[in-house]
Protein backbone atom coordinates (compact mmCIF):
# COMPACT_ATOMS: atom_id res chain seq x y z
CA UNK A 1 0.00 0.00 0.00
CA UNK A 2 1.49 3.36 -1.04
CA UNK A 3 2.11 6.19 1.38
CA UNK A 4 -0.44 8.44 -0.34
CA UNK A 5 -3.20 5.89 -0.88
CA UNK A 6 -6.57 6.62 0.68
CA UNK A 7 -7.80 3.67 2.70
CA UNK A 8 -11.23 2.35 3.58
CA UNK A 9 -10.83 1.69 7.30
CA UNK A 10 -12.88 0.21 10.12
CA UNK A 11 -12.49 0.23 13.89
CA UNK A 12 -14.11 -2.90 15.28
CA UNK A 13 -14.55 -2.30 19.02
CA UNK A 14 -14.85 -4.77 21.84
CA UNK A 15 -18.35 -5.74 23.08
CA UNK A 16 -19.34 -4.08 26.35
CA UNK A 17 -22.02 -4.79 28.96
CA UNK A 18 -25.02 -2.41 28.94
CA UNK A 19 -23.70 -0.39 31.90
CA UNK A 20 -20.60 0.55 29.86
CA UNK A 21 -22.31 1.42 26.59
CA UNK A 22 -21.24 4.76 25.11
CA UNK A 23 -22.16 7.33 22.47
CA UNK A 24 -19.79 9.18 20.11
CA UNK A 25 -20.52 12.55 21.72
CA UNK A 26 -19.80 12.40 25.47
CA UNK A 27 -18.90 11.65 28.20
CA UNK A 28 -16.06 9.29 27.28
CA UNK A 29 -13.83 6.96 29.18
CA UNK A 30 -10.26 6.74 27.93
CA UNK A 31 -10.88 3.92 25.45
CA UNK A 32 -13.94 5.62 23.94
CA UNK A 33 -11.97 8.82 23.52
CA UNK A 34 -9.38 6.79 21.61
CA UNK A 35 -12.07 5.42 19.30
CA UNK A 36 -13.61 8.80 18.55
CA UNK A 37 -10.41 10.83 18.24
CA UNK A 38 -8.60 8.20 16.19
CA UNK A 39 -11.51 7.82 13.77
CA UNK A 40 -11.96 11.59 13.45
CA UNK A 41 -8.28 12.19 12.77
CA UNK A 42 -8.04 9.33 10.27
CA UNK A 43 -10.83 11.07 8.34
CA UNK A 44 -8.83 14.32 8.59
CA UNK A 45 -5.90 12.42 7.03
CA UNK A 46 -8.08 11.59 4.03
CA UNK A 47 -9.40 8.11 4.79
CA UNK A 48 -12.97 6.81 5.06
CA UNK A 49 -13.71 5.37 8.49
CA UNK A 50 -16.49 3.27 10.01
CA UNK A 51 -16.62 2.49 13.73
CA UNK A 52 -18.51 -0.66 14.73
CA UNK A 53 -19.74 -0.42 18.30
CA UNK A 54 -22.62 -1.32 20.65
CA UNK A 55 -24.78 1.66 19.82
CA UNK A 56 -27.19 3.26 17.41
CA UNK A 57 -26.21 4.10 13.84
CA UNK A 58 -25.09 7.72 13.53
CA UNK A 59 -22.52 9.95 11.85
CA UNK A 60 -20.23 12.48 13.50
CA UNK A 61 -17.40 14.53 11.99
CA UNK A 62 -17.33 12.41 8.85
CA UNK A 63 -17.18 9.09 10.73
CA UNK A 64 -19.92 6.47 10.39
CA UNK A 65 -20.82 4.80 13.69
CA UNK A 66 -22.60 1.52 13.01
CA UNK A 67 -23.89 -1.35 15.14
CA UNK A 68 -21.37 -4.15 15.54
CA UNK A 69 -24.03 -6.59 14.32
CA UNK A 70 -23.85 -4.99 10.86
CA UNK A 71 -20.19 -5.75 10.24
CA UNK A 72 -19.80 -7.43 6.85
CA UNK A 73 -16.22 -6.61 5.84
CA UNK A 74 -15.27 -4.87 2.61
CA UNK A 75 -12.49 -2.74 4.16
CA UNK A 76 -8.83 -2.36 3.30
CA UNK A 77 -7.75 -2.54 6.94
CA UNK A 78 -9.69 -3.26 10.13
CA UNK A 79 -8.30 -2.05 13.47
CA UNK A 80 -9.57 -4.70 15.88
CA UNK A 81 -9.75 -3.10 19.32
CA UNK A 82 -9.28 -5.65 22.12
CA UNK A 83 -11.23 -8.24 20.15
CA UNK A 84 -10.98 -10.24 16.92
CA UNK A 85 -13.43 -9.50 14.09
CA UNK A 86 -16.37 -11.87 13.48
CA UNK A 87 -14.51 -13.33 10.50
CA UNK A 88 -11.18 -12.94 8.73
CA UNK A 89 -12.32 -12.02 5.24
CA UNK A 90 -10.09 -12.26 2.14
CA UNK A 91 -8.76 -8.99 0.79
CA UNK A 92 -8.82 -7.33 4.22
CA UNK A 93 -5.85 -6.76 6.54
CA UNK A 94 -6.32 -6.87 10.30
CA UNK A 95 -4.37 -4.91 12.92
CA UNK A 96 -4.94 -5.85 16.56
CA UNK A 97 -4.94 -2.97 19.11
CA UNK A 98 -4.62 -3.67 22.81
CA UNK A 99 -4.88 -1.78 26.08
CA UNK A 100 -5.67 -4.91 28.07
CA UNK A 101 -3.72 -6.22 31.05
CA UNK A 102 -2.15 -9.69 30.61
CA UNK A 103 -2.98 -9.77 26.92
CA UNK A 104 -0.47 -11.86 24.95
CA UNK A 105 0.67 -11.90 21.34
CA UNK A 106 0.22 -15.69 21.11
CA UNK A 107 -3.56 -15.24 21.39
CA UNK A 108 -3.70 -13.01 18.31
CA UNK A 109 -1.53 -14.57 15.65
CA UNK A 110 -4.44 -14.11 13.22
CA UNK A 111 -3.53 -10.39 13.01
CA UNK A 112 -1.24 -8.90 10.37
CA UNK A 113 0.20 -6.35 12.83
CA UNK A 114 -0.14 -5.29 16.46
CA UNK A 115 -0.47 -1.96 18.27
CA UNK A 116 -0.22 -1.35 22.04
CA UNK A 117 -1.20 1.72 24.03
CA UNK A 118 2.14 2.07 25.85
CA UNK A 119 5.62 0.61 26.05
CA UNK A 120 4.53 -1.20 29.22
CA UNK A 121 1.59 -2.74 27.35
CA UNK A 122 3.82 -3.71 24.41
CA UNK A 123 6.41 -5.32 26.69
CA UNK A 124 3.86 -7.42 28.53
CA UNK A 125 2.11 -8.29 25.23
CA UNK A 126 5.35 -9.98 24.23
CA UNK A 127 7.23 -10.82 21.02
CA UNK A 128 7.21 -13.82 18.75
CA UNK A 129 9.60 -15.03 16.08
CA UNK A 130 8.16 -16.13 12.75
CA UNK A 131 9.33 -16.83 9.22
CA UNK A 132 8.76 -13.12 8.53
CA UNK A 133 10.97 -12.11 11.44
CA UNK A 134 10.37 -10.88 14.95
CA UNK A 135 6.85 -9.55 15.58
CA UNK A 136 5.81 -7.25 18.41
CA UNK A 137 3.30 -4.49 19.06
CA UNK A 138 4.10 -0.97 17.86
CA UNK A 139 3.59 1.62 20.58
CA UNK A 140 0.96 4.25 19.76
CA UNK A 141 -0.14 6.15 22.91
CA UNK A 142 -3.13 8.36 23.57
CA UNK A 143 -2.97 12.00 22.47
CA UNK A 144 -4.61 15.26 23.44
CA UNK A 145 -7.37 17.19 21.73
CA UNK A 146 -6.81 20.84 20.75
CA UNK A 147 -9.06 21.84 23.65
CA UNK A 148 -6.69 20.06 26.05
CA UNK A 149 -3.64 21.75 24.56
CA UNK A 150 -5.04 25.29 24.58
CA UNK A 151 -5.94 25.77 28.23
CA UNK A 152 -5.43 29.42 29.15
CA UNK A 153 -3.11 30.22 32.07
CA UNK A 154 -4.80 31.15 35.27
CA UNK A 155 -4.81 30.63 39.04
CA UNK A 156 -5.35 27.19 40.45
CA UNK A 157 -7.88 26.40 43.14
CA UNK A 158 -7.23 24.15 46.15
CA UNK A 159 -8.77 21.14 44.42
CA UNK A 160 -7.28 17.65 44.37
CA UNK A 161 -8.71 15.81 41.39
CA UNK A 162 -8.83 12.08 41.82
CA UNK A 163 -9.58 10.30 38.59
CA UNK A 164 -8.52 7.57 36.24
CA UNK A 165 -9.84 7.64 32.68
CA UNK A 166 -11.68 10.78 31.69
CA UNK A 167 -14.97 9.98 33.41
CA UNK A 168 -14.06 6.89 35.42
CA UNK A 169 -14.23 7.05 39.18
CA UNK A 170 -17.00 6.18 41.59
CA UNK A 171 -16.97 3.70 44.42
CA UNK A 172 -13.82 1.81 43.37
CA UNK A 173 -11.55 4.85 43.30
CA UNK A 174 -13.15 6.39 46.37
CA UNK A 175 -12.60 3.18 48.31
CA UNK A 176 -8.95 3.10 47.25
CA UNK A 177 -8.43 6.73 48.18
CA UNK A 178 -10.10 6.28 51.58
CA UNK A 179 -7.67 3.46 52.28
CA UNK A 180 -4.75 5.85 51.80
CA UNK A 181 -5.55 8.28 54.55
CA UNK A 182 -7.68 10.95 52.93
CA UNK A 183 -9.02 11.76 56.40
CA UNK A 184 -5.59 13.18 57.18
CA UNK A 185 -6.47 16.11 54.89
CA UNK A 186 -9.42 17.19 56.99
CA UNK A 187 -8.94 20.70 58.28
CA UNK A 188 -7.10 21.86 55.15
CA UNK A 189 -8.71 23.95 52.41
CA UNK A 190 -8.21 21.14 49.89
CA UNK A 191 -11.36 19.87 48.21
CA UNK A 192 -11.23 16.31 46.91
CA UNK A 193 -13.13 15.65 43.71
CA UNK A 194 -13.61 12.21 42.22
CA UNK A 195 -15.18 12.11 38.76
CA UNK A 196 -17.99 9.60 38.38
CA UNK A 197 -19.08 9.75 34.78
CA UNK A 198 -21.74 12.39 35.43
CA UNK A 199 -19.91 15.33 33.88
CA UNK A 200 -19.62 16.34 30.24
CA UNK A 201 -16.20 16.33 28.56
CA UNK A 202 -16.13 20.14 28.78
CA UNK A 203 -16.94 20.10 32.50
CA UNK A 204 -14.22 17.55 33.21
CA UNK A 205 -11.74 19.62 31.18
CA UNK A 206 -12.61 22.69 33.25
CA UNK A 207 -12.08 20.66 36.41
CA UNK A 208 -8.56 19.81 35.27
CA UNK A 209 -7.94 23.49 34.51
CA UNK A 210 -8.90 24.57 38.03
CA UNK A 211 -7.34 21.71 40.02
CA UNK A 212 -4.04 22.19 41.82
CA UNK A 213 -3.34 18.47 42.20
CA UNK A 214 -4.00 15.25 40.34
CA UNK A 215 -3.88 12.23 42.64
CA UNK A 216 -3.69 8.55 41.77
CA UNK A 217 -2.56 5.76 44.12
CA UNK A 218 -2.20 3.54 41.06
CA UNK A 219 -3.41 0.29 42.57
CA UNK A 220 -5.71 -0.36 39.61
CA UNK A 221 -4.65 -1.65 36.21
CA UNK A 222 -3.23 1.27 34.22
CA UNK A 223 -1.85 0.50 30.78
CA UNK A 224 -1.59 4.22 29.96
CA UNK A 225 -3.94 6.52 31.97
CA UNK A 226 -5.10 9.30 29.68
CA UNK A 227 -6.17 11.45 32.61
CA UNK A 228 -2.52 11.70 33.67
CA UNK A 229 -1.75 13.22 30.28
CA UNK A 230 -4.66 15.65 30.64
CA UNK A 231 -3.48 16.60 34.12
CA UNK A 232 -0.01 17.44 32.78
CA UNK A 233 -1.50 19.57 30.00
CA UNK A 234 -3.63 21.43 32.54
CA UNK A 235 -0.67 22.17 34.79
CA UNK A 236 -1.74 19.97 37.70
CA UNK A 237 0.89 18.71 40.11
CA UNK A 238 0.74 14.91 39.72
CA UNK A 239 1.02 12.88 42.91
CA UNK A 240 0.98 9.21 41.97
CA UNK A 241 2.35 5.70 42.35
CA UNK A 242 4.57 4.87 39.33
CA UNK A 243 3.10 1.42 38.74
CA UNK A 244 2.56 -0.15 35.31
CA UNK A 245 2.46 2.66 32.72
CA UNK A 246 1.84 5.61 35.06
CA UNK A 247 5.52 6.53 35.33
CA UNK A 248 5.89 6.24 31.55
CA UNK A 249 2.89 8.50 30.90
CA UNK A 250 3.82 11.19 33.42
CA UNK A 251 7.55 11.01 32.78
CA UNK A 252 10.24 12.99 34.55
CA UNK A 253 8.66 16.44 34.27
CA UNK A 254 9.74 18.71 37.10
CA UNK A 255 7.37 19.00 40.04
CA UNK A 256 5.50 15.71 39.75
CA UNK A 257 5.96 13.34 42.70
CA UNK A 258 6.08 9.55 42.45
CA UNK A 259 5.32 7.68 45.65
CA UNK A 260 5.45 3.95 46.24
CA UNK A 261 2.09 2.54 47.27
CA UNK A 262 3.30 1.77 50.78
CA UNK A 263 4.18 5.43 51.35
CA UNK A 264 0.91 6.99 50.32
CA UNK A 265 -0.70 7.12 53.71
CA UNK A 266 2.53 8.32 55.30
CA UNK A 267 3.48 11.05 52.82
CA UNK A 268 0.59 12.01 50.53
CA UNK A 269 -1.22 14.21 53.05
CA UNK A 270 1.99 16.02 53.91
CA UNK A 271 2.79 16.73 50.27
CA UNK A 272 -0.71 18.04 49.68
CA UNK A 273 -0.36 20.37 52.66
CA UNK A 274 3.03 21.51 51.38
CA UNK A 275 1.57 22.37 47.97
CA UNK A 276 -1.20 24.36 49.62
CA UNK A 277 1.07 26.23 51.98
CA UNK A 278 3.40 27.27 49.16
CA UNK A 279 0.62 29.48 47.80
CA UNK A 280 1.65 28.69 44.24
CA UNK A 281 -1.86 27.74 43.27
CA UNK A 282 -2.92 31.37 43.73
CA UNK A 283 -0.49 32.60 41.11
CA UNK A 284 -1.59 33.67 37.65
CA UNK A 285 1.45 31.78 36.38
CA UNK A 286 0.48 28.56 38.18
CA UNK A 287 -0.48 26.75 35.01
CA UNK A 288 1.89 25.33 32.48
CA UNK A 289 1.01 24.74 28.86
CA UNK A 290 0.71 21.49 26.95
CA UNK A 291 3.73 22.35 24.80
CA UNK A 292 5.59 19.18 23.84
CA UNK A 293 2.72 16.84 24.66
CA UNK A 294 1.33 14.70 21.82
CA UNK A 295 -1.82 15.71 19.95
CA UNK A 296 -4.33 13.18 18.69
CA UNK A 297 -3.36 14.07 15.13
CA UNK A 298 0.31 13.31 15.86
CA UNK A 299 -0.37 9.88 17.37
CA UNK A 300 -3.00 9.05 14.71
CA UNK A 301 -0.40 9.76 12.02
CA UNK A 302 1.83 7.20 13.73
CA UNK A 303 -1.05 4.72 13.75
CA UNK A 304 -1.71 5.47 10.09
CA UNK A 305 1.84 4.37 9.24
CA UNK A 306 1.14 0.99 10.89
CA UNK A 307 -2.14 0.59 8.97
CA UNK A 308 -0.37 1.39 5.70
CA UNK A 309 2.41 -1.09 6.38
CA UNK A 310 0.25 -4.22 6.33
Amino acid sequence: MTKTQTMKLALYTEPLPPSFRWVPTNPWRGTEEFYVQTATNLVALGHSVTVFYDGADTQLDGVDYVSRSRYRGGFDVVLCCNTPPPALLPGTKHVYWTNLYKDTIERHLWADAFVAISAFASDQFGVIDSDAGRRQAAVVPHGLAPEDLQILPGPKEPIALYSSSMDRGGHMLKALWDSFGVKDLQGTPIRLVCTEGKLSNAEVRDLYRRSLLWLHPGLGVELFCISALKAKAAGCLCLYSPVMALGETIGQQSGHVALGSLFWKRRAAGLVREALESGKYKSEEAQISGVGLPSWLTVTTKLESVLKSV
Side-chain angles (χ1 to χ4, degrees):
M1 189 168 290
T2 65
K3 297 295 183 181
T4 58
Q5 185 174 343
T6 295
M7 296 182 288
K8 186 177 182 182
L9 304 172
L11 273 67
Y12 189 82
T13 69
E14 64 182 315
L16 296 172
S19 60
F20 284 89
R21 299 285 167 83
W22 58 282
V23 296
T25 49
N26 67 71
W28 301 319
R29 284 177 289 270
T31 305
E32 285 83 68
E33 182 166 3
F34 165 80
Y35 297 152
V36 174
Q37 294 286 6
T38 297
T40 301
N41 282 283
L42 283 170
V43 167
L45 290 169
H47 308 290
S48 66
V49 182
T50 302
V51 176
F52 291 93
Y53 77 126
D54 293 311
D57 293 0
T58 188
Q59 188 178 71
L60 180 69
D61 296 329
V63 179
D64 291 317
Y65 292 86
V66 178
S67 170
R68 283 163 36 87
S69 64
R70 291 182 55 198
Y71 179 80
R72 297 292 184 273
F75 299 93
D76 295 318
V77 185
V78 179
L79 184 66
C80 305
C81 304
N82 292 333
T83 187
L88 300 176
L89 301 176
T92 297
K93 297 295 186 178
H94 302 86
V95 176
Y96 179 70
W97 177 89
T98 180
N99 70 344
L100 298 177
Y101 185 48
K102 294 185 178 179
D103 205 356
T104 61
I105 195 170
E106 288 83 4
R107 296 171 55 194
H108 305 287
L109 298 182
W110 49 267
D112 296 290
F114 312 99
V115 175
I117 195 66
S118 62
F120 175 86
S122 180
D123 289 345
Q124 64 114 38
F125 190 64
V127 299
I128 193 165
D129 292 314
S130 68
D131 293 340
R134 174 155 288 198
R135 304 179 71 198
Q136 62 188 102
V139 177
V140 181
H142 281 310
L144 291 166
E147 297 89 341
D148 297 316
L149 292 167
Q150 297 172 356
I151 298 175
L152 297 176
K156 289 290 192 178
E157 299 175 23
I159 296 173
L161 178 61
Y162 181 45
S163 67
S164 182
S165 291
M166 190 157 183
D167 73 337
R168 192 165 66 201
H171 67 281
M172 179 184 72
L173 291 176
K174 285 181 175 176
L176 280 174
W177 182 238
D178 286 344
S179 73
F180 281 109
V182 68
K183 293 179 181 178
D184 295 337
L185 296 175
Q186 291 179 352
T188 73
I190 200 75
R191 181 163 66 92
L192 288 159
V193 177
C194 181
T195 59
E196 299 179 76
K198 298 177 181 178
L199 302 177
S200 70
N201 295 336
E203 288 172 320
V204 173
R205 188 174 292 113
D206 183 64
L207 194 53
Y208 278 107
R209 181 192 65 78
R210 294 186 290 114
S211 297
L212 169 66
L213 298 163
W214 179 81
L215 310 174
H216 199 314
L219 288 186
V221 175
E222 290 293 356
L223 276 293
F224 183 81
C225 197
I226 191 172
S227 67
L229 199 61
K230 292 176 181 290
K232 287 177 62 177
C236 303
L237 170 64
C238 297
L239 186 60
Y240 67 102
S241 294
V243 296
M244 297 188 180
L246 276 172
E248 173 187 342
T249 302
I250 295 172
Q252 303 299 313
Q253 187 171 338
S254 176
H256 303 307
V257 181
L259 290 174
S261 298
L262 295 177
F263 297 97
W264 261 84
K265 187 163 186 175
R266 192 180 310 164
R267 292 191 57 201
L271 287 167
V272 171
R273 288 177 185 271
E274 187 178 300
L276 286 170
E277 291 168 359
S278 71
K280 290 181 180 178
Y281 71 92
K282 297 178 181 178
S283 168
E284 291 290 335
E285 302 301 323
Q287 263 182 312
I288 60 174
S289 69
V291 173
L293 297 177
S295 69
W296 276 113
L297 182 59
T298 299
V299 298
T300 303
T301 301
K302 185 175 182 179
L303 175 63
E304 180 194 38
S305 67
V306 177
L307 301 179
K308 286 184 173 181
S309 71
V310 297

